[in-house]
Amino acid sequence: MATNPLFTKILESTYTKRQLERRIRSLKFYISNRLFSPGSSQVQESVDETELYWIVSLGEEFYANFNKENLEKTLKEFQEEAAKIEPLIVFIAFNMPHEEIEALGARLRKKFSQPDFLIDVKHDPALIGGASIVWQGVYYDLSIQKRIRDHRVQILERIKEFVH
Amino acid sequence: MPALGELSMLAFAFLAGVVSIILYKRSKIGRDDILKNLQTDSKRILESAVKKSQSILQKAEEEGLDIIDESKTAKRVFSKRYEAELSSVARDLENDLKIEIEKAEKEFLAYLDSLKARTEKVESNLESIIQSRIEATFTSFDAKVTELLSQTQTRSFASIEEELKNARRIIDEYKTQQMKLVDDNVISILEKTINIVLAKKLTLRDQLDLVQDALEKAKIETSVS
């Protein structure tokens, strides 16, 4: 459970580990520009539109907590907090759209009742369908491929019956 | 006897010497007259002694010759006797030797006969021993060959059986491996086919539902909370 309220605020709308790491980097870039180069257009040019929308969505109250002195230290704390979180690694057979990944993360967070719950989605076409996960170092295969392999004997018997 | 003659002569010479010495001593006492007489006497005595000695010598020679004749006669007699004795002894010896030789010959022949008999017996014994040993050797050899053949046969059968067993095992293993390979290929083809078919047939919603179901199951199985 995150102890820093600013980090908690970031986690509220962030559902994947990669997204969190990318957003911390974007925040650093954005806040640095705000504090050291106000009025610069570098952020608009360099940061993705969706990410920029998210940065703005955090509100001025969030950014009021940062100044030139605590910026580095605070962002370093964010990185350390982020490193502590062990995500649920999810292997899926298809390329899931970004918004669906977020929706999945939100659903799982709600389902597991953990506000700092993160997922890390990876692509594995061999799974055919369903998903396999890695949680706390243990691999759980719940894919269609696994179901086929579990029923290998029966499937082969059916095929042999069909062939003969 | 010539030795006796020589002794007589020596004895006579000795007596003559003694007499001469005596006369010489007397002549010392009777001076020249006496010496003359003595010389005359001694001359006469000497002449007489010479005569006597010559007579003695002659006699001795004669006696010696007689003795020589006797000894020659005795020698001839003795030789004849000796020859007769010798020929008798030789005859006896010859007879004895003949007898001994005949006896020895007989004994030798008997010994040879017994030796021949013994040799034949030993030869016969040796033949029977050799025969029995050869038979025993052949019997033993036969038994060993039979045993060896039996062992070899048993080993060969065991080896063949082992080889067959190994071959069967290898074939079974190969068959099992090949069947597993076929099964793996079948499953792999099935998976690929299902993957291709489902990729075309399943919508994003269906995929998301499958993921959702999987995660629901994961929550139950792993108690993620």
Side-chain angles (χ1 to χ4, degrees), chain B residues 52-198:
Chain B
K52 279 185 180 178
S53 68
Q54 279 174 345
S55 160
I56 289 165
L57 272 172
Q58 195 177 352
K59 203 175 179 181
E61 273 178 7
E62 284 170 358
E63 282 179 357
L65 286 168
D66 289 343
I67 289 165
I68 288 165
D69 287 341
E70 281 175 7
S71 71
K72 279 182 180 174
T73 309
K75 188 181 174 186
R76 273 196 300 275
V77 171
F78 182 75
S79 291
K80 278 180 182 173
R81 275 188 193 169
Y82 179 76
E83 277 174 6
E85 283 294 320
L86 197 68
S87 57
S88 170
V89 168
R91 269 197 307 276
D92 289 347
L93 275 173
E94 194 179 343
N95 288 333
D96 288 350
L97 196 66
K98 267 184 183 174
I99 291 161
E100 285 297 319
I101 286 167
E102 280 171 4
K103 194 182 167 189
E105 196 178 339
K106 277 178 188 171
E107 281 178 0
F108 185 68
L109 285 170
Y111 174 73
L112 278 177
D113 287 342
S114 76
L115 197 68
K116 193 181 172 187
R118 270 165 67 187
T119 308
E120 280 171 358
K121 197 178 172 185
V122 168
E123 198 177 336
S124 170
N125 284 343
L126 274 173
E127 261 180 26
S128 63
I129 288 167
I130 288 166
Q131 188 65 31
S132 63
R133 281 198 183 169
I134 287 168
E135 280 171 10
T137 307
F138 273 110
T139 310
S140 168
F141 180 71
D142 277 351
K144 278 179 182 171
V145 167
T146 309
E147 194 185 339
L148 187 71
L149 284 172
S150 171
Q151 283 177 357
T152 310
Q153 198 177 21
T154 311
R155 278 185 203 151
S156 298
F157 280 137
S159 176
I160 289 163
E161 274 180 21
E162 189 67 26
E163 286 296 322
L164 279 171
K165 212 180 279 179
N166 284 338
R168 274 193 216 107
R169 185 177 51 75
I170 290 165
I171 290 166
D172 287 345
E173 280 176 10
Y174 179 75
K175 200 173 155 186
T176 309
Q177 281 174 359
Q178 289 301 306
M179 288 305 290
K180 192 177 177 298
L181 208 64
V182 170
D183 289 351
D184 288 347
N185 285 335
V186 168
I187 294 295
S188 176
I189 290 165
L190 183 73
E191 284 177 4
K192 280 176 186 168
T193 309
I194 291 171
N195 207 350
I196 292 164
V197 171
L198 289 183

Side-chain angles (χ1 to χ4, degrees), chain A residues 88 90 92 94 96-97 100 104 107-108 111-112 114 117 125-126 128-131 133 135 140 142 144-145 147-149 152 155-156 159-160, chain B residues 179-184 186-187 190-192 194-195 198 202 204-205 207-208 210-219 221-225:
Chain A
L88 172 73
V90 183
I92 53 172
F94 61 102
M96 191 181 270
E100 289 298 340
L104 179 67
R107 277 202 300 279
L108 290 172
K111 202 173 283 289
F112 299 148
Q114 285 195 11
F117 186 85
I128 302 171
I133 62 167
W135 178 244
Y140 301 91
L142 300 146
I144 290 176
Q145 184 196 44
R147 284 190 212 175
I148 291 169
R149 288 181 182 176
R152 173 193 171 96
I155 291 166
L156 287 168
I159 289 169
K160 281 170 192 168
Chain B
M179 288 305 290
K180 192 177 177 298
L181 208 64
V182 170
D183 289 351
D184 288 347
V186 168
I187 294 295
L190 183 73
E191 284 177 4
K192 280 176 186 168
I194 291 171
N195 207 350
L198 289 183
L202 290 179
L204 180 61
R205 191 71 260 154
Q207 286 282 19
L208 288 170
L210 284 169
V211 171
Q212 189 65 34
D213 289 347
L215 292 172
E216 286 290 335
K217 279 187 185 172
K219 192 192 172 191
E221 286 182 18
T222 63
S223 304
V224 178
S225 59

Side-chain angles (χ1 to χ4, degrees), chain A residues 114-130:
Chain A
Q114 285 195 11
D116 56 354
F117 186 85
L118 293 175
I119 59 170
D120 189 2
V121 179
K122 294 178 186 294
H123 182 217
D124 182 4
L127 297 177
I128 302 171

